[in-house]
Amino acid sequence: MPQQERGAAALSPFAATRRIGHPYQNRTPPKRKKPRTSFSRGQICELEKRFHRQKYLASAERATLAKALKMTDAQVKTWFQNRRTKWRRQTAEEREAERQQANRLMLHLQQEAFQKSLSQPLPQDPLCMHNSSLYALQNLQPWAEDNKVTSVSGVASVV
C-alpha cells in the first residue's frame, strides 16, 4: 500500500481495526436495580391526605413528613413526584371526557334546533314580501328534498 493510502487509513474513523464483542462489555457490570419499595397503608393514607392539601412540599416539610412516617426524604420526594404525575394524567383525562361530553351535547342541541327549524314555517320578512326574488329565496329550503320553487307572475310558491 502506498504511503499516502496508509496515512489516510490511519486517520479514517472507519479504520480496519475491529472491536471484539459488544462495546459495553468492557465496562463494570451495572448495579442491581433496587427492589420496589412497599409502603404501608397508613403511610400511603398520610401521604395521600397531605397531597390532597398540598401538591408540593418544601424540603423542611418533606423532612418532617418523612420522619413522622419513618421514611427517607428521598422516598417522600419520589412519592410526591410520582403522585403529581398521576394527578396530571387523571385531570387531563377528566378534562378530555368533559370536552367530549360537551361536544356531544352541542351536536345534540344543533340537531334538535335543525329539526325544529324544519317543522316550523319561516317568519315572513317585511322586506321580502315586496320583492319577489327575495321572497323566493326566503322560502327556499335546500335541505328539504322535494321542494321546488316556482314563480308565477312574480309571486313565488313552494311546490
Side-chain angles (χ1 to χ4, degrees):
M1 191 184 317
Q3 174 112 7
Q4 190 177 15
E5 285 180 27
R6 268 184 275 149
L11 294 176
S12 169
F14 306 106
T17 59
R18 293 183 177 242
R19 295 181 194 190
I20 309 293
H22 195 273
Y24 297 137
Q25 282 180 338
N26 296 337
R27 293 185 180 180
T28 58
K31 294 178 182 176
R32 288 279 177 213
K33 189 174 178 182
K34 187 179 175 207
R36 182 182 173 105
T37 303
S38 297
F39 300 119
S40 71
R41 286 185 180 182
Q43 288 173 321
I44 292 171
C45 184
E46 289 302 314
L47 288 165
E48 285 288 349
K49 279 198 287 188
R50 186 63 177 265
F51 181 81
H52 184 71
R53 288 192 321 259
Q54 191 176 2
K55 304 291 185 261
Y56 291 87
L57 298 177
S59 59
E61 294 169 322
R62 188 172 60 235
T64 304
L65 182 61
K67 187 175 180 182
L69 297 176
K70 295 181 175 46
M71 296 169 65
T72 67
D73 192 65
Q75 285 174 321
V76 173
K77 182 178 182 178
T78 302
W79 188 91
F80 265 78
Q81 287 173 339
N82 292 340
R83 187 61 183 85
R84 282 192 298 268
T85 301
K86 179 181 177 182
W87 172 66
R88 285 187 199 104
R89 187 187 69 243
Q90 287 172 333
T91 54
E93 288 170 357
E94 288 167 7
R95 281 193 310 269
E96 178 61 19
E98 289 169 0
R99 189 187 66 76
Q100 287 179 2
Q101 186 177 6
N103 285 344
R104 284 192 297 273
L105 178 62
M106 285 299 294
L107 185 60
H108 177 72
L109 292 174
Q110 287 172 341
Q111 288 171 341
E112 270 185 3
F114 179 70
Q115 292 300 322
K116 188 176 179 182
S117 73
L118 288 178
S119 64
Q120 292 180 348
L122 292 173
Q124 297 297 323
D125 186 339
L127 179 64
C128 293
M129 296 297 288
H130 303 293
N131 183 318
S132 61
S133 297
L134 291 176
Y135 184 80
L137 286 173
Q138 182 188 21
N139 289 310
L140 180 63
Q141 294 181 351
W143 55 86
E145 292 178 8
D146 293 329
N147 289 350
K148 294 179 184 174
V149 176
T150 60
S151 176
V152 180
S153 68
V155 178
S157 63
V158 177
V159 180

